[in-house]
Amino acid sequence: MMAAAKPIIQKISPIPVPPFLLDDKIYDTLAEAPSLDMNVARPQPSWTFARKHPSGRKMPQAIAHRGYKAKHPENTMGAFRGAIKAKAHAMETDIHLTKDDVVVLSHDATLKRCFGKDEKIIDCSWDYISQQRTLAAPHEPMPRFKDLLEFLASPGSENVWLLLDIKLDNDAENVMRLIAETVQSVPPHPLKPWNQRLVLGCWAVKFLPLCAEHLPTFPITHIGFSIPYARKFLSVPNVSFNMLQKTLMLPFFGARFIRDVKAKGRPLYFWTVNEEDMMRWSINKEVDGVITDDPKRFLEVCDEWEQGKRKINISWSQWMMAAWINFMVLVFGTIFWWKYSSSTGKGKPTQSKAVEEGAR
């Protein structure tokens, strides 16, 4: 469905459409409504809350998006080393699997954009992928998840935590099992076990029981852009939220969601925030973390905020982008809810129930 609509949407859109809004797998998550097990309690990731600035005020943590993406090829060891050097508090990275079940770090499911090869990662062996180099200088290889863990366990990196974006392209059971096996294979830093440094980022509720099965002591964050869908996770103890910033700019719905998350005592992070005024907007909302391509600049903006530079000038183009993204989420989210509810069976919510749940 989305494949047929994609060229039409891109043609009529007044602004560039973010790729994730045209991904069938993302919208399929909105159509899933398995029961949430209230007994699947997760540990509270207290180390991911906003931290005190030298001035005494709490400020959002700087979370390096795919490493220091603004200065290095994304999701490479150079980008991760750069994030540490820039004094990022945390890093965000993306999980995929190779054909021979090696956990690798890549945002895309294919090698096309970053490596120039028109092949899917899941169809390639690790031996083949390890020989590829990024199109962007300095032409680095794709790392394994294991490589990053070994780096984070080394001296000088022990205070940085990691947020995993577990992509939907792979089999859920298989990817969770292999993530757990990889974590268990790398000894942590003596002062900090992995369950105090890793946050499991899940787009869909179906991942919750798999997290409980394979990594029961590790905290979870919901990654998303749909406020009604995210509200499902408010009923699960200690799940934090990693939300698309622009969906929370809605005057009523976004503000209400931020308020409800804070009332539950849950950490809240925004993705992906690169414009300086958007950084200041995020600081003003007192979120716990900001995922950004440029963690160094974000930390500078935090310093400037404490020095009195607090004026926020959101441009018309930025408001248009936020409005268009929210419109897309509303339209396609509704379509997929309807698609799901029209074929409901036993145990599946009806359309009216889905709408009612989304409004809560």
Side-chain angles (χ1 to χ4, degrees):
M1 173 185 172
M2 194 62 72
K6 188 181 298 186
I8 300 173
I9 295 168
Q10 289 174 327
K11 186 175 182 179
I12 66 173
S13 176
I15 52 180
V17 180
F20 71 87
L21 287 176
L22 302 175
D23 188 343
D24 271 324
K25 291 185 177 65
I26 295 294
Y27 283 100
D28 279 339
T29 67
L30 300 179
E32 295 168 346
S35 61
L36 296 179
D37 186 353
M38 296 304 103
N39 295 318
V40 183
R42 312 305 305 177
Q44 175 70 278
S46 57
W47 29 276
T48 72
F49 281 108
R51 295 186 182 183
K52 276 192 176 182
H53 187 269
S55 65
R57 175 191 171 96
K58 285 189 175 181
M59 300 291 282
Q61 295 196 43
I63 305 173
H65 184 228
R66 309 177 201 170
Y68 195 166
K69 183 173 178 283
K71 298 293 184 181
H72 302 268
E74 65 183 62
N75 279 325
T76 61
M77 293 309 300
F80 299 132
R81 286 190 290 268
I84 299 287
K85 189 175 180 180
K87 303 188 184 304
H89 301 104
M91 297 186 291
E92 182 267 1
T93 191
D94 310 278
I95 295 292
H96 278 287
L97 301 179
T98 65
K99 180 170 65 175
D100 46 351
D101 285 345
V102 175
V103 185
V104 294
L105 306 180
S106 172
H107 174 270
D108 298 1
T110 76
L111 300 173
K112 182 69 173 177
R113 180 174 62 89
C114 293
F115 295 88
K117 304 288 185 179
D118 196 11
E119 297 172 273
K120 292 182 178 179
I121 292 174
I122 194 66
D123 294 334
C124 300
S125 68
W126 167 244
D127 182 63
Y128 173 78
I129 287 178
S130 66
Q131 298 176 42
Q132 307 308 310
R133 296 296 182 267
T134 58
L135 296 175
H139 312 297
E140 297 191 56
M142 181 186 297
R144 299 170 298 178
F145 180 37
K146 180 179 180 180
D147 300 325
L148 179 55
L149 290 180
E150 289 174 346
F151 170 63
L152 290 176
S154 64
S157 303
E158 65 273 11
N159 292 320
V160 175
W161 56 276
L162 186 65
L163 194 162
L164 298 181
D165 184 341
I166 304 170
K167 294 301 184 185
L168 299 165
D169 303 84
N170 301 288
D171 176 76
E173 168 69 35
N174 202 32
V175 73
M176 290 308 307
R177 175 180 61 82
L178 291 167
I179 289 172
E181 289 177 2
T182 304
V183 171
Q184 291 162 7
S185 73
V186 180
H189 189 277
L191 299 179
K192 287 191 177 179
W194 288 126
N195 63 358
Q196 294 178 19
R197 298 186 67 192
L198 296 181
V199 177
L200 307 175
C202 301
W203 288 83
V205 291
K206 69 180 180 181
F207 277 84
L208 294 180
L210 296 174
C211 291
E213 177 183 353
H214 295 288
L215 292 162
T217 65
F218 285 69
I220 291 174
T221 192
H222 166 59
I223 305 174
F225 54 83
S226 168
I227 294 174
Y229 189 77
R231 284 190 173 278
K232 294 173 178 292
F233 291 82
L234 280 172
S235 62
V236 184
N238 293 333
V239 170
S240 59
F241 294 87
N242 179 19
M243 299 294 292
L244 175 64
Q245 183 207 38
K246 290 179 174 62
T247 61
L248 298 183
M249 292 177 68
L250 287 175
F252 174 74
F253 298 102
R256 182 183 174 191
F257 181 76
I258 293 172
R259 181 197 69 199
D260 291 346
V261 170
K262 289 182 179 180
K264 287 277 189 176
R266 311 289 184 83
L268 175 63
Y269 330 115
F270 285 169
W271 61 272
T272 300
V273 186
N274 292 324
E275 303 98 332
E276 292 183 13
D277 280 302
M278 290 296 192
M279 292 177 178
R280 283 187 279 270
W281 188 89
S282 303
I283 294 170
N284 190 51
K285 294 300 178 183
E286 299 181 339
V287 297
D288 296 289
V290 168
I291 297 177
T292 176
D293 293 348
D294 195 339
K296 182 175 183 290
R297 183 59 194 139
F298 175 70
L299 290 171
E300 291 171 349
V301 170
C302 289
D303 290 339
E304 292 167 2
W305 181 274
E306 288 304 276
Q307 294 165 10
K309 188 177 179 180
R310 301 185 178 185
K311 189 174 182 180
I312 303 171
N313 294 312
I314 306 298
S315 68
W316 277 107
S317 62
Q318 289 171 322
W319 281 116
M320 281 185 62
M321 173 65 85
W324 183 247
I325 287 176
N326 278 283
F327 174 75
M328 293 279 288
V329 170
L330 174 64
V331 170
F332 288 102
T334 301
I335 289 172
F336 274 82
W337 270 112
W338 175 83
K339 172 186 171 183
Y340 174 80
S341 61
S342 65
S343 57
T344 53
K346 185 177 180 180
K348 297 180 179 180
T350 62
Q351 183 177 9
S352 60
K353 185 175 180 181
V355 173
E356 179 184 341
E357 289 177 348
R360 290 175 186 169

